[in-house]
Coordinates of all heavy atoms in Angstrom, one line a residue:
M1 N -129.0 -16.9 -24.3 CA -129.1 -17.5 -25.7 C -128.8 -16.4 -26.7 O -128.4 -16.8 -27.8 CB -130.6 -18.0 -25.9 CG -130.8 -18.7 -27.2 SD -132.0 -20.0 -27.2 CE -133.5 -19.1 -27.1
N2 N -128.8 -15.2 -26.4 CA -128.5 -14.1 -27.4 C -127.1 -14.2 -28.0 O -126.8 -13.7 -29.1 CB -128.7 -12.7 -26.8 CG -130.2 -12.4 -26.6 OD1 -131.0 -13.0 -27.2 ND2 -130.5 -11.5 -25.8
E3 N -126.1 -14.7 -27.2 CA -124.8 -14.8 -27.7 C -124.7 -15.7 -28.9 O -123.7 -15.7 -29.7 CB -123.8 -15.3 -26.6 CG -124.0 -16.7 -26.1 CD -125.0 -16.8 -25.0 OE1 -125.6 -15.8 -24.6 OE2 -125.1 -17.9 -24.5
H4 N -125.6 -16.6 -29.2 CA -125.6 -17.5 -30.3 C -126.0 -16.7 -31.6 O -125.7 -17.2 -32.7 CB -126.6 -18.6 -30.1 CG -126.2 -19.5 -29.0 ND1 -125.1 -20.4 -29.0 CD2 -126.7 -19.6 -27.7 CE1 -125.0 -21.0 -27.9 NE2 -125.9 -20.6 -27.1
F5 N -126.7 -15.6 -31.5 CA -127.1 -14.9 -32.7 C -126.4 -13.5 -32.7 O -126.8 -12.6 -32.0 CB -128.6 -14.6 -32.6 CG -129.4 -15.9 -32.7 CD1 -129.9 -16.5 -31.5 CD2 -129.7 -16.5 -33.9 CE1 -130.7 -17.6 -31.6 CE2 -130.4 -17.7 -33.9 CZ -130.9 -18.3 -32.8
T6 N -125.3 -13.5 -33.5 CA -124.5 -12.3 -33.5 C -124.9 -11.2 -34.4 O -124.4 -10.1 -34.4 CB -123.0 -12.7 -33.8 OG1 -123.0 -13.3 -35.1 CG2 -122.4 -13.6 -32.7
K7 N -125.8 -11.6 -35.3 CA -126.3 -10.6 -36.3 C -127.8 -10.8 -36.5 O -128.4 -11.8 -36.1 CB -125.6 -10.6 -37.6 CG -125.7 -12.0 -38.3 CD -124.8 -12.0 -39.6 CE -124.9 -13.4 -40.2 NZ -124.2 -13.4 -41.4
N8 N -128.5 -9.8 -37.1 CA -129.9 -9.9 -37.3 C -130.1 -11.0 -38.4 O -129.3 -11.2 -39.3 CB -130.4 -8.5 -37.9 CG -130.5 -7.5 -36.8 OD1 -130.5 -7.8 -35.6 ND2 -130.4 -6.2 -37.2
I9 N -131.2 -11.6 -38.3 CA -131.6 -12.7 -39.2 C -132.7 -12.2 -40.1 O -133.7 -11.8 -39.6 CB -132.0 -14.0 -38.4 CG1 -130.9 -14.4 -37.5 CG2 -132.5 -15.0 -39.3 CD1 -131.3 -15.5 -36.5
R10 N -132.5 -12.4 -41.4 CA -133.5 -12.0 -42.3 C -134.3 -13.3 -42.7 O -133.8 -14.3 -42.9 CB -132.9 -11.5 -43.6 CG -132.2 -10.2 -43.4 CD -131.7 -9.7 -44.7 NE -131.0 -8.4 -44.5 CZ -130.8 -7.5 -45.4 NH1 -131.2 -7.7 -46.6 NH2 -130.2 -6.4 -45.1
I11 N -135.6 -13.0 -42.7 CA -136.5 -14.1 -43.0 C -137.3 -13.7 -44.2 O -138.3 -12.9 -44.1 CB -137.5 -14.5 -41.8 CG1 -136.6 -15.0 -40.7 CG2 -138.5 -15.5 -42.2 CD1 -137.4 -15.2 -39.4
N12 N -136.9 -14.3 -45.4 CA -137.6 -13.9 -46.6 C -138.3 -15.1 -47.3 O -139.1 -15.0 -48.1 CB -136.6 -13.3 -47.6 CG -136.0 -12.0 -47.1 OD1 -136.7 -11.2 -46.6 ND2 -134.7 -11.9 -47.2
K13 N -137.8 -16.3 -46.9 CA -138.3 -17.5 -47.6 C -138.5 -18.6 -46.5 O -137.9 -18.5 -45.4 CB -137.2 -18.1 -48.6 CG -136.8 -17.1 -49.6 CD -135.8 -17.7 -50.5 CE -134.4 -17.5 -49.9 NZ -133.3 -17.8 -50.7
P14 N -139.2 -19.6 -46.8 CA -139.4 -20.7 -45.8 C -138.1 -21.4 -45.4 O -137.9 -21.8 -44.3 CB -140.3 -21.7 -46.6 CG -141.1 -20.9 -47.6 CD -140.1 -19.8 -48.0
Q15 N -137.1 -21.4 -46.3 CA -135.8 -21.9 -46.0 C -135.1 -21.2 -44.9 O -134.4 -21.7 -44.1 CB -134.9 -22.0 -47.3 CG -135.3 -22.9 -48.3 CD -136.4 -22.2 -49.3 OE1 -136.9 -21.2 -49.0 NE2 -136.6 -22.9 -50.4
D16 N -135.3 -19.8 -44.9 CA -134.8 -19.0 -43.8 C -135.3 -19.4 -42.4 O -134.6 -19.4 -41.4 CB -135.0 -17.5 -44.1 CG -134.4 -17.1 -45.4 OD1 -133.4 -17.7 -45.8 OD2 -134.9 -16.1 -45.9
I17 N -136.6 -19.7 -42.4 CA -137.3 -20.1 -41.2 C -136.8 -21.4 -40.7 O -136.5 -21.6 -39.6 CB -138.8 -20.1 -41.4 CG1 -139.3 -18.7 -41.6 CG2 -139.5 -20.7 -40.2 CD1 -140.8 -18.6 -42.0
R18 N -136.6 -22.3 -41.7 CA -136.1 -23.7 -41.3 C -134.7 -23.6 -40.7 O -134.4 -24.2 -39.7 CB -136.0 -24.6 -42.6 CG -137.3 -25.1 -43.0 CD -137.1 -26.2 -44.0 NE -136.4 -25.9 -45.1 CZ -136.8 -25.8 -46.4 NH1 -138.1 -26.2 -46.6 NH2 -136.1 -25.5 -47.3
R19 N -133.8 -22.7 -41.3 CA -132.5 -22.6 -40.7 C -132.5 -22.0 -39.3 O -131.8 -22.4 -38.4 CB -131.6 -21.7 -41.6 CG -130.9 -22.4 -42.8 CD -129.9 -21.6 -43.4 NE -130.5 -20.4 -44.1 CZ -131.0 -20.5 -45.4 NH1 -131.0 -21.7 -46.0 NH2 -131.5 -19.4 -45.9
L20 N -133.4 -21.0 -39.1 CA -133.5 -20.4 -37.8 C -134.0 -21.4 -36.8 O -133.5 -21.5 -35.7 CB -134.4 -19.1 -37.9 CG -134.8 -18.5 -36.6 CD1 -133.6 -17.9 -35.9 CD2 -135.9 -17.4 -36.8
L21 N -135.1 -22.1 -37.1 CA -135.6 -23.1 -36.2 C -134.6 -24.2 -35.9 O -134.5 -24.6 -34.7 CB -136.9 -23.6 -36.7 CG -138.1 -22.7 -36.9 CD1 -139.3 -23.3 -37.5 CD2 -138.5 -22.1 -35.5
A22 N -133.9 -24.6 -36.9 CA -132.8 -25.6 -36.7 C -131.8 -25.1 -35.7 O -131.3 -25.8 -34.8 CB -132.2 -26.1 -38.0
K23 N -131.4 -23.9 -35.9 CA -130.4 -23.3 -35.0 C -130.9 -23.2 -33.5 O -130.2 -23.6 -32.6 CB -130.0 -21.9 -35.5 CG -128.8 -21.3 -34.8 CD -128.5 -19.9 -35.3 CE -127.7 -20.0 -36.6 NZ -127.1 -18.8 -37.1
V24 N -132.1 -22.8 -33.4 CA -132.7 -22.6 -32.0 C -132.9 -24.0 -31.4 O -132.6 -24.2 -30.2 CB -134.1 -21.9 -32.1 CG1 -134.8 -21.9 -30.7 CG2 -133.9 -20.5 -32.5
I25 N -133.3 -25.0 -32.2 CA -133.5 -26.4 -31.6 C -132.1 -26.9 -31.2 O -132.0 -27.5 -30.1 CB -134.1 -27.3 -32.7 CG1 -135.6 -26.9 -32.9 CG2 -134.0 -28.8 -32.3 CD1 -136.3 -27.6 -34.1
N26 N -131.1 -26.7 -32.0 CA -129.7 -27.2 -31.6 C -129.3 -26.5 -30.3 O -128.6 -27.1 -29.5 CB -128.7 -27.0 -32.7 CG -128.9 -28.0 -33.8 OD1 -129.0 -29.2 -33.5 ND2 -128.9 -27.6 -35.1
I27 N -129.5 -25.2 -30.2 CA -129.1 -24.5 -29.0 C -129.8 -25.1 -27.8 O -129.2 -25.3 -26.7 CB -129.4 -23.0 -29.1 CG1 -128.5 -22.3 -30.1 CG2 -129.3 -22.3 -27.8 CD1 -128.9 -20.9 -30.6
L28 N -131.1 -25.3 -27.9 CA -131.9 -25.9 -26.8 C -131.4 -27.3 -26.4 O -131.3 -27.6 -25.3 CB -133.4 -26.0 -27.2 CG -134.1 -24.7 -27.2 CD1 -135.5 -24.9 -27.8 CD2 -134.2 -24.1 -25.8
L29 N -131.0 -28.1 -27.4 CA -130.5 -29.4 -27.2 C -129.2 -29.4 -26.5 O -128.9 -30.3 -25.7 CB -130.4 -30.2 -28.5 CG -131.7 -30.7 -29.1 CD1 -131.5 -31.2 -30.5 CD2 -132.5 -31.7 -28.2
Q30 N -128.4 -28.4 -26.8 CA -127.0 -28.4 -26.2 C -127.0 -27.6 -24.8 O -126.0 -27.7 -24.1 CB -126.1 -27.7 -27.1 CG -125.9 -28.4 -28.4 CD -125.2 -27.6 -29.5 OE1 -124.7 -26.5 -29.2 NE2 -125.1 -28.1 -30.7
D31 N -128.1 -27.0 -24.5 CA -128.1 -26.1 -23.3 C -128.6 -26.9 -22.0 O -129.8 -26.8 -21.7 CB -129.0 -24.9 -23.6 CG -129.0 -23.9 -22.4 OD1 -127.9 -23.7 -21.9 OD2 -130.0 -23.3 -22.2
G32 N -127.7 -27.7 -21.4 CA -128.0 -28.3 -20.2 C -129.0 -29.4 -20.2 O -129.2 -30.1 -21.3
E33 N -129.7 -29.6 -19.1 CA -130.6 -30.8 -18.9 C -131.9 -30.6 -19.7 O -132.4 -29.5 -19.9 CB -130.9 -30.9 -17.4 CG -131.7 -32.1 -17.0 CD -131.9 -32.1 -15.5 OE1 -131.1 -31.5 -14.8 OE2 -132.9 -32.6 -15.1
M34 N -132.4 -31.8 -20.2 CA -133.7 -31.8 -20.9 C -134.8 -31.7 -19.8 O -134.8 -32.5 -18.9 CB -133.8 -33.0 -21.7 CG -135.1 -33.1 -22.5 SD -135.3 -31.7 -23.7 CE -134.0 -32.0 -24.8
T35 N -135.7 -30.7 -20.0 CA -136.8 -30.6 -19.2 C -138.1 -30.8 -20.0 O -138.0 -30.8 -21.2 CB -136.9 -29.2 -18.5 OG1 -137.0 -28.2 -19.6 CG2 -135.6 -28.9 -17.7
I36 N -139.2 -30.9 -19.3 CA -140.5 -31.1 -20.0 C -140.8 -29.8 -20.9 O -141.2 -29.9 -22.0 CB -141.6 -31.4 -19.1 CG1 -141.4 -32.8 -18.5 CG2 -143.0 -31.3 -19.7 CD1 -142.4 -33.3 -17.5
D37 N -140.5 -28.7 -20.3 CA -140.8 -27.4 -21.0 C -139.9 -27.3 -22.2 O -140.4 -26.9 -23.3 CB -140.6 -26.2 -20.1 CG -141.7 -26.0 -19.1 OD1 -142.8 -26.5 -19.4 OD2 -141.5 -25.3 -18.1
K38 N -138.6 -27.7 -22.1 CA -137.7 -27.6 -23.2 C -138.1 -28.6 -24.3 O -138.1 -28.3 -25.5 CB -136.3 -27.9 -22.8 CG -135.3 -27.6 -23.8 CD -133.9 -28.0 -23.4 CE -133.3 -27.2 -22.3 NZ -131.9 -27.5 -22.0
A39 N -138.5 -29.8 -23.9 CA -139.0 -30.8 -24.8 C -140.2 -30.4 -25.6 O -140.4 -30.6 -26.8 CB -139.3 -32.2 -24.1
K40 N -141.2 -29.7 -24.9 CA -142.4 -29.2 -25.5 C -142.0 -28.1 -26.5 O -142.6 -28.1 -27.6 CB -143.3 -28.7 -24.5 CG -144.0 -29.7 -23.7 CD -144.9 -29.1 -22.6 CE -145.6 -30.1 -21.8 NZ -146.5 -29.5 -20.8
T41 N -141.1 -27.3 -26.2 CA -140.6 -26.2 -27.1 C -140.0 -26.8 -28.3 O -140.3 -26.3 -29.4 CB -139.7 -25.3 -26.4 OG1 -140.3 -24.7 -25.2 CG2 -139.2 -24.1 -27.3
I42 N -139.1 -27.8 -28.1 CA -138.5 -28.4 -29.3 C -139.5 -29.1 -30.2 O -139.5 -29.0 -31.4 CB -137.4 -29.4 -28.8 CG1 -136.3 -28.7 -28.2 CG2 -137.0 -30.3 -30.0 CD1 -135.3 -29.6 -27.5
A43 N -140.5 -29.7 -29.6 CA -141.6 -30.4 -30.4 C -142.4 -29.3 -31.2 O -142.7 -29.5 -32.4 CB -142.5 -31.1 -29.5
T44 N -142.7 -28.2 -30.6 CA -143.4 -27.1 -31.3 C -142.6 -26.6 -32.4 O -143.1 -26.4 -33.5 CB -143.8 -26.0 -30.3 OG1 -144.6 -26.6 -29.2 CG2 -144.5 -24.9 -31.0
L45 N -141.3 -26.3 -32.1 CA -140.4 -25.8 -33.2 C -140.3 -26.8 -34.3 O -140.2 -26.4 -35.5 CB -139.1 -25.4 -32.6 CG -139.0 -24.2 -31.6 CD1 -137.7 -24.1 -31.0 CD2 -139.4 -22.9 -32.3
S46 N -140.2 -28.1 -34.0 CA -140.0 -29.1 -35.0 C -141.3 -29.2 -35.9 O -141.2 -29.3 -37.1 CB -139.8 -30.5 -34.3 OG -138.6 -30.5 -33.6
N47 N -142.5 -29.1 -35.3 CA -143.7 -29.0 -36.1 C -143.7 -27.8 -37.0 O -144.2 -27.9 -38.1 CB -144.9 -29.1 -35.2 CG -145.2 -30.5 -34.6 OD1 -144.9 -31.4 -35.3 ND2 -145.7 -30.5 -33.4
T48 N -143.3 -26.7 -36.5 CA -143.3 -25.5 -37.3 C -142.3 -25.6 -38.4 O -142.6 -25.2 -39.6 CB -142.9 -24.3 -36.4 OG1 -143.8 -24.2 -35.3 CG2 -142.9 -23.0 -37.2
A49 N -141.1 -26.3 -38.2 CA -140.2 -26.5 -39.2 C -140.7 -27.4 -40.3 O -140.5 -27.2 -41.5 CB -138.9 -27.1 -38.6
L50 N -141.4 -28.4 -39.9 CA -142.1 -29.3 -40.9 C -143.1 -28.6 -41.8 O -143.1 -28.8 -43.0 CB -142.8 -30.5 -40.2 CG -141.8 -31.6 -39.6 CD1 -142.6 -32.5 -38.8 CD2 -141.1 -32.3 -40.7
K51 N -143.9 -27.7 -41.2 CA -144.8 -26.9 -41.9 C -144.1 -26.0 -42.9 O -144.5 -25.8 -44.0 CB -145.7 -26.1 -41.0 CG -146.7 -27.0 -40.3 CD -147.6 -26.2 -39.3 CE -148.4 -27.1 -38.5 NZ -149.2 -26.4 -37.4
S52 N -143.0 -25.4 -42.5 CA -142.2 -24.6 -43.3 C -141.6 -25.3 -44.5 O -141.6 -24.8 -45.6 CB -141.1 -23.9 -42.5 OG -140.2 -23.2 -43.3
M53 N -141.2 -26.6 -44.3 CA -140.7 -27.4 -45.4 C -141.8 -27.7 -46.4 O -141.6 -27.6 -47.6 CB -140.2 -28.7 -44.8 CG -138.9 -28.6 -44.1 SD -138.4 -30.2 -43.4 CE -137.3 -29.8 -42.2
D54 N -143.0 -28.0 -45.9 CA -144.1 -28.2 -46.8 C -144.4 -27.0 -47.6 O -144.6 -27.1 -48.8 CB -145.4 -28.7 -46.0 CG -145.3 -30.1 -45.5 OD1 -144.4 -30.8 -46.0 OD2 -146.1 -30.4 -44.6
L55 N -144.4 -25.8 -47.0 CA -144.7 -24.6 -47.7 C -143.6 -24.3 -48.7 O -143.9 -23.8 -49.8 CB -144.9 -23.4 -46.7 CG -146.2 -23.5 -45.9 CD1 -146.1 -22.3 -44.8 CD2 -147.4 -23.3 -46.7
G56 N -142.4 -24.5 -48.3 CA -141.3 -24.3 -49.3 C -141.4 -25.2 -50.5 O -141.2 -24.7 -51.6
D57 N -141.7 -26.4 -50.3 CA -141.9 -27.4 -51.4 C -143.0 -26.9 -52.3 O -142.9 -27.0 -53.5 CB -142.1 -28.8 -50.9 CG -140.9 -29.4 -50.2 OD1 -139.8 -28.8 -50.4 OD2 -141.0 -30.4 -49.5
L58 N -144.1 -26.5 -51.7 CA -145.3 -26.1 -52.4 C -145.0 -24.9 -53.2 O -145.3 -24.7 -54.4 CB -146.5 -25.9 -51.5 CG -147.8 -25.4 -52.1 CD1 -148.3 -26.5 -53.1 CD2 -148.8 -25.1 -51.0
A59 N -144.2 -23.9 -52.6 CA -143.9 -22.7 -53.3 C -143.0 -23.0 -54.5 O -143.2 -22.4 -55.6 CB -143.2 -21.7 -52.4
E60 N -142.0 -23.9 -54.4 CA -141.2 -24.3 -55.5 C -142.0 -24.9 -56.6 O -141.8 -24.6 -57.8 CB -140.1 -25.2 -55.0 CG -139.0 -24.6 -54.2 CD -138.0 -25.6 -53.7 OE1 -137.9 -26.7 -54.2 OE2 -137.3 -25.3 -52.7
R61 N -142.9 -25.8 -56.3 CA -143.7 -26.4 -57.3 C -144.6 -25.4 -58.0 O -144.8 -25.5 -59.3 CB -144.6 -27.5 -56.6 CG -143.7 -28.7 -56.2 CD -144.5 -29.7 -55.4 NE -145.8 -30.1 -55.9 CZ -146.7 -30.6 -55.1 NH1 -146.5 -30.9 -53.8 NH2 -147.9 -30.9 -55.6
M62 N -145.1 -24.5 -57.3 CA -146.0 -23.4 -57.9 C -145.1 -22.6 -58.8 O -145.6 -22.2 -59.9 CB -146.7 -22.6 -56.9 CG -147.8 -23.4 -56.1 SD -148.7 -22.3 -55.0 CE -149.5 -21.2 -56.0
D63 N -143.9 -22.2 -58.4 CA -143.0 -21.4 -59.3 C -142.8 -22.2 -60.6 O -142.8 -21.6 -61.7 CB -141.7 -21.1 -58.6 CG -141.9 -20.1 -57.5 OD1 -142.9 -19.4 -57.5 OD2 -141.0 -20.0 -56.6
K64 N -142.5 -23.5 -60.5 CA -142.2 -24.3 -61.7 C -143.5 -24.3 -62.6 O -143.4 -24.1 -63.9 CB -141.8 -25.7 -61.4 CG -140.5 -25.8 -60.8 CD -140.1 -27.2 -60.4 CE -138.8 -27.3 -59.7 NZ -138.4 -28.6 -59.3
I65 N -144.6 -24.4 -62.1 CA -145.9 -24.4 -62.8 C -146.1 -23.1 -63.5 O -146.5 -23.0 -64.7 CB -147.1 -24.8 -62.0 CG1 -147.0 -26.3 -61.5 CG2 -148.4 -24.6 -62.7 CD1 -148.0 -26.7 -60.5
E66 N -145.9 -22.0 -62.8 CA -146.0 -20.7 -63.4 C -145.1 -20.5 -64.5 O -145.4 -19.9 -65.5 CB -145.8 -19.6 -62.3 CG -146.9 -19.5 -61.3 CD -146.6 -18.5 -60.2 OE1 -145.5 -18.1 -60.0 OE2 -147.6 -18.3 -59.4
E67 N -143.8 -20.9 -64.4 CA -142.9 -20.8 -65.5 C -143.3 -21.6 -66.7 O -143.2 -21.1 -67.8 CB -141.5 -21.3 -65.0 CG -140.7 -20.3 -64.1 CD -140.5 -19.0 -64.8 OE1 -140.1 -19.0 -66.0 OE2 -140.8 -17.9 -64.2
M68 N -143.9 -22.8 -66.5 CA -144.3 -23.6 -67.6 C -145.5 -22.9 -68.3 O -145.6 -23.0 -69.5 CB -144.8 -25.0 -67.1 CG -143.6 -25.9 -66.7 SD -144.1 -27.4 -65.9 CE -145.2 -28.1 -67.1
L69 N -146.4 -22.3 -67.5 CA -147.5 -21.6 -68.1 C -147.1 -20.4 -68.9 O -147.8 -20.0 -69.9 CB -148.5 -21.2 -67.0 CG -149.3 -22.4 -66.4 CD1 -150.1 -21.9 -65.2 CD2 -150.1 -23.2 -67.4
K70 N -146.0 -19.7 -68.5 CA -145.6 -18.5 -69.2 C -145.0 -18.9 -70.6 O -145.0 -18.1 -71.5 CB -144.6 -17.8 -68.4 CG -145.2 -17.1 -67.2 CD -144.1 -16.3 -66.4 CE -144.7 -15.7 -65.2 NZ -143.6 -15.1 -64.3
S71 N -144.4 -20.1 -70.7 CA -143.7 -20.4 -71.9 C -144.6 -21.2 -72.9 O -145.7 -21.3 -72.8 CB -142.5 -21.3 -71.7 OG -142.6 -22.2 -70.7

């Protein structure tokens, strides 16, 4: 699986985590036969991606509120 990641991945924002998880999920989906272990891993990664989306949305909303309070 290392050949899919040719450079280091920086994770600074929830969006970075979403991109990484999406890439890993796609690799797993394309890599041979679906097994129970692979399906469980994909489900776990998908749940983590959903949580990251929620956190990203919340962070954006908080940034907007902070900007409104400053002005």
Side-chain angles (χ1 to χ4, degrees):
M1 187 153 69
N2 288 341
E3 66 271 5
H4 297 285
F5 297 99
T6 57
K7 59 183 177 177
N8 291 336
I9 298 169
R10 291 185 184 199
I11 298 176
N12 298 315
K13 304 178 276 189
Q15 294 85 349
D16 299 333
I17 294 171
R18 284 195 304 245
R19 274 193 293 278
L20 172 63
L21 293 176
K23 189 179 282 193
V24 173
I25 289 168
N26 283 315
I27 291 168
L28 288 171
L29 288 170
Q30 296 169 8
D31 187 35
E33 185 178 335
M34 181 59 65
T35 63
I36 290 177
D37 285 339
K38 191 186 292 189
K40 287 178 182 179
T41 300
I42 291 169
T44 300
L45 293 173
S46 297
N47 283 329
T48 304
L50 287 172
K51 288 178 186 175
S52 174
M53 288 178 199
D54 286 343
L55 289 174
D57 292 344
L58 181 61
E60 287 177 20
R61 289 171 45 201
M62 289 183 67
D63 288 343
K64 287 179 184 177
I65 291 170
E66 287 174 351
E67 284 300 314
M68 289 172 54
L69 292 174
K70 287 180 184 176
S71 41

